[in-house]
Amino acid sequence: MTKLQRFGVSVETDLLDKFDEFIREQNYQNRSEALRDLMREALVRKQWKEDETIAGAIAFVYDHHHGQLVNHLMELQHDYFTIIISSQHVHLDHDNCMEIILAKGPANQVGKLYESIRAMKGVKHIDLLRSTTGQQL
Ligand code: NI
C-alpha cells in the first residue's frame, strides 16, 4: 500500500460548491476519492499525449456485407498483432457486427489503429477508450 499524504488546497467558494455538487452526483463518498480520480485521469491523458505505453479498447459496429471490409479489418489487425491483446466479435443481427479490440502498446500506435478502422467504409460507429496499464499511477 502506498503511503498517504495530506495536503491543503485553496479554492474559491463557488468552485468548491460546484465540485461538492459534482461529487455528490457522482456518488463519491468524499472529496479525496474524487480528487484522486481526477488526478489519475489527468495523468492518463498525459500518458496518451506523450506516447507512453498505454492500454485501450476500440469498439466498433459495422455491416459485414460491406465490400471487402471484413478482409481489410483482418489484414489491419494482423498488421498490428504486436499491440492487440485480444479481440471479440459479436453478431448483433443478420447484418451488423460489433467488435472490441483490446490493445496495449505505444499510444500513437493504438491511436493509428483506431483511426484506420474509423476511416473504413462500412464502419457505422466507433469509439476509443483511452485507458492505462495501471502502472505508475
Ligand atoms: Ni458478425
Side-chain angles (χ1 to χ4, degrees):
M1 182 85 181
T2 315
K3 195 178 141 207
L4 289 177
Q5 191 168 341
R6 287 178 178 275
F7 67 100
V9 178
S10 301
V11 60
E12 294 87 348
T13 306
D14 287 355
L15 182 58
L16 188 59
D17 289 345
K18 283 177 187 161
F19 185 66
D20 284 342
E21 189 185 331
F22 165 78
I23 65 177
R24 259 196 313 276
E25 287 168 1
Q26 301 289 318
N27 293 318
Y28 281 107
Q29 300 300 311
N30 54 57
R31 288 175 184 157
S32 293
E33 191 52 39
L35 202 53
R36 282 192 286 267
D37 275 357
L38 290 176
M39 291 166 86
R40 289 191 200 100
E41 204 174 299
L43 292 170
V44 170
R45 271 204 300 271
K46 185 170 177 279
Q47 289 179 348
W48 277 80
K49 200 176 169 190
E50 296 186 352
D51 195 23
E52 291 179 24
T53 297
I54 52 72
I58 303 166
F60 55 103
V61 173
Y62 62 95
D63 182 342
H64 78 271
H65 296 302
H66 198 286
Q68 289 293 304
L69 179 57
V70 172
N71 288 336
H72 291 155
L73 281 169
M74 184 69 76
E75 282 171 22
L76 185 66
Q77 291 187 52
H78 277 277
D79 288 343
Y80 283 88
F81 78 91
T82 55
I83 61 164
I84 294 176
I85 302 167
S86 80
S87 68
Q88 185 170 19
H89 181 120
V90 178
H91 314 300
L92 295 173
D93 57 35
H94 186 71
D95 303 314
N96 295 296
C97 305
M98 178 176 233
E99 228 166 287
I100 297 181
I101 295 172
L102 302 182
K104 179 184 166 191
N108 284 350
Q109 278 191 43
V110 178
K112 278 182 187 151
L113 174 60
Y114 161 71
E115 285 164 10
S116 297
I117 296 170
R118 188 178 61 184
M120 288 180 167
K121 285 181 181 170
V123 174
K124 296 180 174 183
H125 181 258
I126 185 167
D127 209 351
L128 169 62
L129 173 72
R130 292 176 176 85
S131 193
T132 174
T133 63
Q135 292 175 354
Q136 299 160 350
L137 279 183

